[in-house]
Amino acid sequence: MTRSLHTTAFAALWLLLLASAVLAVTFGPADINPAEVWTTILHHLGLIPESPVSRLRDAIVWDLRLPRVIAALGVGAGLALAGAVMQALTRNPLADPYLLGLSSGAALGAVALVVVGLTAFVPLGAFIGSLAALGLALAVTQVLGGTTPVRAILAGISISALASAATSFIIFWSATGDSYREILSWLMGSLSGSTWIDAALVAGAIMICAPFMVLSARGLDAFAFGDKAAASLGVDVVRLRWMLLLASALLTGIMVAIGGAIGFVGLVVPHAVRLAVGSGHRRLLPATMLVGAIFMLWADTLARALFDPRELPVGIVTALVGAPAFLLILMRYRRIT
Amino acid sequence: MTGLEVRGLTISLGGPPIVDRVDLTAPRGKITGLVGPNGAGKSTLIGTVVGLNRPVEGTVHFSGDDLLGLDRRARARLCAYVEQAATTEERLTVAEVVALGRIPFAPAWASGPDPADEKSCMEALSRLGMSAFAGRQFATLSGGEQQRVHMARALAQQPQLLLLDEPTSSLDIRGQLQVFALLRSLATEDCTVLMALHDLNLALTRCDWLVVMNHGRVVAEGAPMEVLTERLIADVYGVEARRIQGPVGPVIVFETAL
């Protein structure tokens, strides 16, 4: 693609994101039109002194739907970005926070802190959980005799199964009422009940990690032909790899603390975007974030809409799209797996 | 006219030394071959000069500069590296692969290759006769074409020192001779070339200087005709060989493994 075509495509993605966000806010049991959404937002930003929107409808838009939409956009962007970065660093097209067990580890860390009452530290627990799972996955693949895509995934599956079982057990043991719903929302992911604090956490994590990752785009490009080639291009291979893996674990931890272990976003989105813009990370990473955000927003909106008034865990929607795509990716890379 | 000078280099990757107190010289503007059996330590030595791992002790100088003490990016602007048949699963065009060679020259926040970068990439591609391939996906090329793209990427680094790790092992004979022709023309432009290679006949006839390694040590160094004797081949490779005079020069004929 030429440079001007890229600029146009990026502008189109931003427009699509904005339009999707406004549409998603209008969607729900209370019938709210786009004009009311805009009025409410502008009112709260102080740009319109008097809002004609009723207080109830204002609260539905501002306190319920908008934080959830922003959380969905952020979680989608964050998970997709973490996936793209991990794929480049490990030279593993199948790497993804969910398949490598980071998401389940993060969910376990989060649930453990919820249970002991340290709710304020849940994001920290999730970060430590995702970091521990990443360390374990890498250690296990080393013990198996070096990293290959399949070994990494197998290690991830076993870690994920263990962490998910532990998560389920902790919830089952501690919950007084209907623990299954809560288990499901951590294991399959759900964005219901997202608050402005959640939205701010997600946005904060992205604002810390994304600029660092995007600025490392050339370094990630250098990994295309392996560590030695990257080192010969002046990249501090060990340092860059650890810093970026740490940032990926942080990003995953925060996203899971807010949305639970939502799967396949980090796998499917970067692969789809690569088909369009190629593997150059200066384009890939920003485009992956935009597409991830839009994808997650629509997945969450579908999860709300499909069985209205009952809500589907959003991870079911992403898995319905992601699992077949995972198979296609396996087919494409069957030579190396 | 000093080129690459390695003194007392010892490299260990956690166990016993893989490279043990090695001294060697690769004269400036010459093609130096690094030969020896598998596991002799050739690749590890080249990896250290490239900056992949830190030696236990020893020094590496190039034209007076302490290569190991240099900042990584500064070293990458001086010295380029090509390995054997490096592949990727990434979706990269030939032009994008060649542009990797400009990474050491651009600040991390640069929005794209600047005109100088693009110029040296285009020149490198055209020197390898690969200009027509610029827009092709790297993964769709043949092994020989891919290796030429790697060479172009290395040229885009405008190196004064070019390190190659068995660059011709996966190439057919035509591809091998093309690589050596390119290396010869680089050497005449004052580029210092150090390459690990397995083909002793190519080492004998195409290199200006040879370093022979075995078990992590340098066992011989000098002009190829003087170094690659039947005796040395027997000692180092455990192979009975005869050096005969062919119609255009010497040829090594291998008899049996000892």
Side-chain angles (χ1 to χ4, degrees):
Chain A
M1 273 203 260
T2 64
R3 210 164 280 186
S4 63
L5 201 60
H6 270 279
T7 316
T8 317
F10 267 99
L13 279 177
W14 272 109
L15 273 179
L16 184 62
L17 184 141
L18 208 62
S20 303
V22 172
L23 263 178
V25 176
T26 63
F27 179 81
D31 218 2
I32 290 170
N33 64 48
E36 287 175 294
V37 176
W38 280 116
T39 312
T40 306
I41 293 172
L42 293 177
H43 172 62
H44 280 270
L45 293 177
L47 297 171
I48 300 178
E50 290 293 323
S51 167
V53 181
S54 77
R55 283 180 66 179
L56 175 68
R57 296 165 80 77
D58 181 284
I60 290 175
V61 170
W62 187 256
D63 293 328
L64 293 180
R65 294 190 187 167
L66 210 52
R68 178 167 184 164
V69 162
I70 293 173
L73 291 172
V75 167
L79 289 177
L81 180 62
V85 169
M86 288 168 68
Q87 283 149 27
L89 285 179
T90 59
R91 296 186 77 207
N92 179 352
L94 305 179
D96 154 81
Y98 187 73
L99 288 174
L100 288 190
L102 273 72
S103 299
S104 309
L108 176 60
V111 166
L113 289 193
V114 170
V115 162
V116 296
L118 293 170
T119 42
F121 295 100
V122 163
L124 183 67
F127 169 48
I128 292 171
S130 80
L131 202 59
L134 172 66
L136 212 55
L138 293 178
V140 170
T141 45
Q142 281 305 315
V143 170
L144 290 175
T147 312
T148 68
V150 169
R151 280 181 190 146
I153 299 304
L154 292 178
I157 287 173
S158 60
I159 290 160
S160 184
L162 191 67
S164 298
T167 303
S168 305
F169 180 75
I170 291 176
I171 297 173
F172 171 78
W173 192 253
S174 62
T176 43
D178 177 12
S179 59
Y180 297 106
R181 183 181 296 274
E182 207 183 324
I183 289 175
L184 212 59
S185 93
W186 278 107
L187 296 188
M188 292 301 296
S190 168
L191 291 161
S192 85
S194 296
T195 62
W196 275 111
I197 294 179
D198 296 334
L201 261 172
V202 167
I206 288 180
M207 276 192 257
I208 291 170
C209 297
F212 168 55
M213 288 169 160
V214 173
L215 278 180
S216 307
R218 295 295 278 156
L220 284 171
D221 287 347
F223 276 95
F225 292 97
D227 287 9
K228 226 186 235 185
S232 77
L233 292 169
V235 174
D236 190 340
V237 170
V238 176
R239 185 160 148 255
L240 186 66
R241 170 171 286 140
W242 281 111
M243 287 183 67
L244 283 170
L245 281 178
L246 209 65
S248 304
L250 176 67
L251 211 46
T252 306
I254 304 293
M255 300 308 145
V256 172
I258 305 306
I262 301 169
F264 297 104
V265 183
L267 181 76
V268 173
V269 173
H271 278 286
V273 174
R274 250 182 227 113
L275 288 177
V277 306
S279 289
H281 288 86
R282 246 186 333 227
R283 283 169 184 164
L284 178 66
L285 296 185
T288 293
M289 286 174 70
L290 284 171
V291 174
I294 296 167
F295 174 72
M296 181 63 94
L297 182 61
W298 283 109
D300 186 50
T301 307
L302 268 181
R304 286 198 284 147
L306 277 177
F307 299 100
D308 189 36
R310 286 195 303 165
E311 221 182 78
L312 209 57
V314 65
I316 294 180
V317 180
T318 59
L320 278 177
V321 181
F326 178 45
L327 284 178
L328 286 178
I329 295 165
L330 273 181
M331 299 282 276
R332 184 178 140 79
Y333 291 102
R334 61 184 176 277
R335 197 166 43 76
I336 57 161
T337 55
Chain B
M1 92 116 224
T2 56
L4 181 73
E5 294 205 11
V6 174
R7 292 291 169 260
L9 194 69
T10 299
I11 308 163
S12 155
L13 301 177
I18 297 170
V19 170
D20 194 3
R21 287 164 286 167
V22 158
D23 294 327
L24 69 84
T25 305
R28 184 163 169 177
K30 302 281 183 215
I31 300 176
T32 301
L34 187 58
V35 299
N38 290 329
K42 308 184 296 289
S43 296
T44 308
L45 187 138
I46 287 182
T48 299
V49 177
V50 163
L52 190 70
N53 38 51
R54 292 236 138 231
V56 178
E57 59 182 348
T59 58
V60 179
H61 282 84
F62 179 71
S63 294
D65 284 322
D66 173 10
L67 267 192
L68 301 179
L70 272 186
D71 164 68
R72 285 167 192 281
R73 287 162 60 84
R75 181 169 53 218
R77 288 193 288 267
L78 207 62
C79 138
Y81 164 71
V82 176
E83 62 192 306
Q84 176 192 349
T87 58
T88 184
E89 299 302 326
E90 301 281 6
R91 286 180 64 85
L92 293 170
T93 62
V94 166
E96 286 172 319
V97 173
V98 176
L100 293 177
R102 301 304 295 172
I103 288 179
F105 297 85
W109 55 88
S111 64
D114 68 18
D117 290 332
E118 286 183 357
K119 183 163 169 276
S120 53
C121 289
M122 291 317 290
E123 280 173 7
L125 268 177
S126 105
R127 189 154 181 186
L128 270 298
M130 296 292 285
S131 298
F133 289 75
R136 290 267 298 274
Q137 284 290 321
F138 177 82
T140 64
L141 303 185
S142 73
E145 289 162 348
Q146 290 188 347
Q147 197 61 342
R148 273 150 77 188
V149 176
H150 282 306
M151 298 288 291
R153 192 261 305 144
L155 289 196
Q157 274 175 266
Q158 297 170 328
Q160 296 172 41
L161 172 64
L162 181 57
L163 299 159
L164 307 102
D165 195 356
E166 296 175 27
T168 56
S169 296
S170 63
L171 300 185
D172 57 31
I173 186 65
R174 181 179 155 83
Q176 294 183 18
L177 295 180
Q178 281 172 335
V179 165
F180 273 96
L182 175 76
L183 294 180
R184 178 55 62 202
S185 80
L186 286 174
T188 56
E189 292 162 25
D190 207 28
C191 181
T192 304
V193 178
L194 175 66
M195 66 185 309
L197 76 169
H198 271 310
D199 189 321
L200 296 184
N201 275 307
L202 284 175
L204 184 68
T205 54
R206 309 279 157 160
C207 293
D208 304 312
W209 191 254
L210 274 191
V211 177
V212 186
M213 283 184 76
N214 197 14
H215 301 305
R217 301 274 184 96
V218 170
V219 293
E221 183 175 1
M225 291 297 280
E226 287 158 24
V227 166
L228 274 187
T229 59
E230 293 168 359
R231 174 75 189 273
L232 177 122
I233 293 170
D235 287 350
V236 170
Y237 288 91
V239 167
E240 193 184 330
R242 280 194 301 135
R243 211 168 84 182
I244 58 174
Q245 194 60 35
V248 288
V251 182
I252 299 169
V253 180
F254 301 99
E255 306 272 339
T256 51
L258 293 168

